[in-house]
Amino acid sequence: MVKVPKINAIVDGFKYNSQLVCPNYIFFLTHMHSDHYNGLTPTWNRGPIYCSSETAKLVKDLYPQVQGITSLELDVKHWITLDKNTNEGVNVTFIDANHCIGAVMILFQGDKCGNILYTGDFRFIPSMLNHESLLDSSGQIINIDHLFLDNTFSDPEFIFPPQDICMQMVFNAIEENPESDVWIKNECFGKEKLYVELAEKFKTLIVICPKMYRRICLLNLSPEKFTTNENEGYIRIVNTEQMRGLNERNKNQISTIGIWLTGWMKHLVKHSENGVTTYKIPYSGHSNSEELKTFTRAIKAKNTTFTSSCARKSKGNSEIVEETYSRKSDVYIPPTTPEILPKRRIQNPYSSHLKKTKKPKVLGSKIQ
Ligand SMILES: [Zn+2]
């Protein structure tokens, strides 16, 4: 939950007591995971909600009575009025967050707030840095005054592979056990792309629960690849409770492997015990620590706020801030002549970080 600095807008916060502060807040929902729409109720009437078209469909399906949901097209700058009396407003651009269907990053641009980028939950891919809205007329990344960053896996120990490699790990696990059924533990919406790949590669329908099937039909995510009838496919998506029955199922002579998909596993772990084989595969919709560093180095935000409560004390947070500010010093230290560099360094508010980077050496070599 974040109150956008200097304007009356809130992102992923529906418990925020706006009436205490200002009665005219507007709300944004980055994606339809429960930890982000927490607080939204069937009788919500505290302000308009802006989100992607997919998220809007999911909200309306969950709470048909909720009023004031507006979907915004991605990749387009939208002017949103904040105060009808003064015509104050803010430009808003949604960028695909590569997290789950309908998930967006939000770029706010306004006279009061400057340029604010809110990533929501996101899985970094390099093409994000080429997004038109993030580039100026010379192709450089625009100044970002404040970055709100999904730092779930900022700890340096989380360097799990890209999704396509993890997808191959899932393929391999299934191919290693050609006679077995497959149970994949997942309770979150968001891995449908993987399931469609599995259906096509292994020529089977994917068995899912009625709630997930309803959402897949609603968003038209290849519903023909899915079924709710467990007799119609041998790859099944199960929840925690169902996964507890894996041992019993194998004891009953129905050979079944178990697969867990989560970045918290860090790397592939295969385990066999009492005739039951399980795989823990780090397929994640969040960025790993190296991807976060690549992203923040490129964005060079003036200020960074971490949004993941579970990673509030992550060792990686300070590294990200340090690298961001160190790189930012490139802007403040023009490589003109060697003589003025020491003086400029002293004036730079982030000068203490210069000692920890190799950048001054690079500047020196350029000057020579
Ligand atoms: Zn999420």
Side-chain angles (χ1 to χ4, degrees):
M1 172 176 72
V2 163
K3 152 89 174 64
V4 181
K6 299 178 184 169
I7 59 173
N8 54 336
I10 290 175
V11 184
D12 291 347
F14 299 94
K15 284 185 170 175
Y16 201 91
N17 196 347
S18 59
Q19 285 163 350
L20 286 179
V21 188
C22 172
N24 299 315
Y25 272 73
I26 62 171
F27 294 80
F28 292 84
L29 177 57
T30 58
H31 66 292
M32 198 58 180
H33 279 162
S34 58
D35 51 333
H36 291 258
Y37 67 80
N38 190 12
L40 189 60
T41 61
T43 54
W44 174 267
N45 63 355
R46 294 174 70 177
I49 300 170
Y50 296 91
C51 56
S52 68
S53 60
E54 292 88 352
T55 301
K57 283 181 189 170
L58 293 170
V59 173
K60 286 174 186 168
D61 185 54
L62 184 66
Y63 297 136
Q65 310 93 319
V66 167
Q67 300 294 312
I69 299 169
T70 302
S71 64
L72 300 181
E73 188 182 345
L74 268 67
D75 308 324
V76 176
K77 191 183 280 188
H78 302 270
W79 172 259
I80 295 184
T81 302
L82 296 166
D83 186 333
K84 285 176 187 157
N85 297 323
T86 62
N87 278 333
E88 181 197 347
V90 64
N91 282 310
V92 172
T93 307
F94 283 175
I95 302 169
D96 188 343
N98 190 34
H99 176 65
C100 66
I101 184 80
V104 294
M105 302 196 284
I106 308 175
L107 176 65
F108 295 94
Q109 296 177 284
D111 293 339
K112 262 192 192 173
C113 66
N115 294 336
I116 295 176
L117 181 59
Y118 186 97
T119 67
D121 288 351
F122 84 120
R123 181 77 196 248
F124 171 75
I125 46 174
S127 61
M128 286 173 174
L129 298 175
N130 296 327
H131 195 276
E132 207 178 8
S133 66
L134 293 175
L135 301 178
D136 62 20
S137 55
S138 61
Q140 302 298 307
I141 291 189
I142 59 174
N143 288 326
I144 297 293
D145 298 291
H146 206 131
L147 173 67
F148 289 88
L149 182 72
D150 163 25
N151 61 316
T152 305
F153 293 116
S154 63
D155 193 304
E157 66 182 327
F158 292 111
I159 47 171
F160 44 76
Q163 282 183 341
D164 54 345
I165 292 179
C166 292
M167 188 184 291
Q168 189 60 51
M169 292 177 185
V170 179
F171 292 169
N172 294 346
I174 296 172
E175 285 169 345
E176 281 174 13
N177 301 275
E179 304 301 321
S180 299
D181 286 355
V182 179
W183 280 11
I184 299 175
K185 192 246 158 191
N186 184 35
E187 287 170 274
C188 241
F189 194 62
K191 297 185 172 71
E192 297 70 31
K193 189 175 71 176
L194 169 65
Y195 303 152
V196 170
E197 294 280 345
L198 291 175
E200 288 175 355
K201 183 168 178 62
F202 295 102
K203 308 275 184 283
T204 178
L205 293 178
I206 306 297
V207 183
I208 53 177
C209 67
K211 182 182 173 188
M212 189 179 280
Y213 188 72
R214 180 185 168 91
R215 287 182 158 193
I216 280 170
C217 292
L218 185 70
L219 300 177
N220 197 22
L221 302 174
S222 305
E224 71 281 3
K225 309 282 186 196
F226 296 89
T227 179
T228 56
N229 183 343
E230 61 181 287
N231 297 318
E232 291 181 347
Y234 70 92
I235 298 178
R236 183 177 174 191
I237 312 306
V238 299
N239 60 27
T240 304
E241 186 62 34
Q242 291 165 323
M243 197 55 128
R244 290 198 184 105
L246 186 65
N247 286 356
E248 195 63 29
R249 185 175 169 89
N250 278 280
K251 269 188 206 163
N252 292 334
Q253 310 303 317
I254 307 173
S255 176
T256 307
I257 62 167
I259 297 177
W260 278 254
L261 302 171
T262 169
W264 295 110
M265 300 323 304
K266 303 172 195 167
H267 50 79
L268 170 66
V269 176
K270 179 182 176 182
H271 182 72
S272 293
E273 191 174 331
N274 300 328
V276 182
T277 302
T278 59
Y279 298 81
K280 295 182 176 172
I281 295 174
Y283 186 99
S284 178
H286 295 268
S287 307
N288 69 29
S289 62
E290 282 303 315
E291 291 164 343
L292 287 174
K293 281 184 196 167
T294 302
F295 181 72
T296 50
R297 276 176 198 155
I299 293 294
K300 297 176 186 160
K302 285 182 188 165
N303 300 287
T304 301
T305 297
F306 300 110
T307 57
S308 174
S309 55
C310 61
R312 203 171 281 142
K313 294 179 180 172
S314 162
K315 284 182 279 184
N317 296 346
S318 56
E319 280 185 30
I320 285 171
V321 170
E322 194 169 285
E323 294 223 20
T324 303
Y325 286 172
S326 299
R327 295 284 170 144
K328 186 162 178 52
S329 66
D330 300 351
V331 175
Y332 287 103
I333 307 173
T336 48
T337 66
E339 288 73 29
I340 69 165
L341 280 174
K343 192 175 176 186
R344 293 289 178 103
R345 280 182 194 169
I346 291 164
Q347 289 172 340
N348 184 343
Y350 307 117
S351 57
S352 61
H353 297 290
L354 286 172
K355 294 170 198 161
K356 298 172 186 171
T357 72
K358 295 176 180 171
K359 200 62 188 173
K361 279 187 189 171
V362 176
L363 287 174
S365 63
K366 274 185 188 170
I367 292 161
Q368 287 167 1

